[in-house]
Amino acid sequence: MPTEREILNCLVDIKGYVIEPERCETNRAERKIIFWLEPEGEGTCSCCGRPSDKVKDRKVRKYRDLHFGAWTAEIWIEKRRVICERCGVKSE
């Protein structure tokens, strides 16, 4: 039997990110759900593809108005900027 996390990750399915169910929020009155996604594993430079465990900062990107059945869903993704030894500071 799949776990709640596995089911949610299959529904949203954004490569390199995982849903953190304990951070997800629901508002029954507004019929809205917020999915929090966090990066999975270590960071990767978007320029050269090298892995990096050095994170400069993080920023939350919000994607709204996604219809999820009768509910509206928002996906909040925590994006990292990593410090690459070759390229400097790069977003993932």
Side-chain angles (χ1 to χ4, degrees), residues 47-72:
C47 192
C48 69
R50 296 177 88 182
S52 174
D53 59 354
K54 299 175 186 167
V55 177
K56 176 163 176 58
D57 55 21
R58 299 167 190 266
K59 183 177 183 177
V60 174
R61 302 267 178 149
K62 299 176 184 179
Y63 300 90
R64 296 188 180 112
D65 296 329
L66 303 169
H67 295 291
F68 194 71
W71 290 60
T72 300

Side-chain angles (χ1 to χ4, degrees), residues 25-33 66-73:
E25 303 170 27
T26 57
N27 182 326
R28 292 189 183 276
E30 295 180 18
R31 299 182 105 177
K32 179 170 73 172
I33 187 165
L66 303 169
H67 295 291
F68 194 71
W71 290 60
T72 300

Side-chain angles (χ1 to χ4, degrees), residues 4-20:
E4 177 184 11
R5 177 180 288 199
E6 291 170 334
I7 292 168
L8 290 171
N9 282 309
C10 286
L11 289 172
V12 176
D13 195 27
I14 296 178
K15 185 179 178 183
Y17 291 88
V18 293
I19 289 178
E20 292 300 325

Side-chain angles (χ1 to χ4, degrees), residues 2 5 24 32-33 35 39-40 48 57 75 82 85-86:
R5 177 180 288 199
C24 293
K32 179 170 73 172
I33 187 165
F35 293 109
E40 183 176 42
C48 69
D57 55 21
I75 297 177
V82 298
E85 293 177 4
R86 179 185 292 167

